[in-house]
Amino acid sequence: MNATLWTITIIAALAYTAGGASLLLMSRQRYRALAASQQWVDDFGDHHLTAIAVVKLTGAAGLMLPAAFGIAPTLTPVAACGLALFMAGAATTRFRRSEWAAMAGDIVFLAIFAFLAWGWFGVLAGA
């Protein structure tokens, strides 16, 4: 179970680091051009997009660093909970835009973060 948690945590953290960095460093037009599923950026202002990117980057760091270094490891499942809530907001945006396939992907990410939170809380409790 521990290897599974680490594998999923690393993949999720890398994905959110890439997503947050690209949102932070690319222009709105270039980010929108990445894929048809990125049209949601038109619903938000520049400062809001920066905040979303920072949340992604902070969440990715929160997933990896506490457990990896053993410093406040409880923050790893807390970060997973925060990212699950973040993805609930993303799914809500997709619902509002009637982007059903993209919303399904957001729900999968939400489930992954819920699994990570459950798993890491279990590891920390010694289960």
Side-chain angles (χ1 to χ4, degrees), residues 79-120:
C81 289
L83 287 171
L85 292 172
F86 178 77
M87 291 314 299
T92 302
T93 298
R94 304 290 192 174
F95 179 82
R96 190 171 39 82
R97 293 176 55 88
S98 299
E99 295 175 347
W100 309 115
M103 186 177 84
D106 292 341
I107 292 171
V108 168
F109 272 109
L110 190 155
I112 288 169
F113 291 126
F115 171 78
L116 288 175
W118 169 80
W120 282 113

Side-chain angles (χ1 to χ4, degrees), residues 3-71:
T4 303
L5 281 175
W6 272 111
T7 301
I8 296 171
T9 299
I10 290 168
I11 292 169
L14 290 174
Y16 272 70
T17 299
S22 61
L23 184 58
L24 192 61
L25 299 173
M26 289 182 180
S27 68
R28 174 189 302 268
Q29 294 76 20
R30 190 161 176 214
Y31 189 83
R32 186 187 318 111
L34 287 176
S37 63
Q38 302 306 324
Q39 303 301 312
W40 61 269
V41 297
D42 295 332
D43 292 353
F44 299 99
D46 291 336
H47 295 298
H48 197 160
L49 294 176
T50 301
I52 290 169
V54 169
V55 167
K56 286 183 171 188
L57 291 170
T58 304
L63 278 178
M64 282 297 303
L65 299 179
F69 291 109
I71 300 171

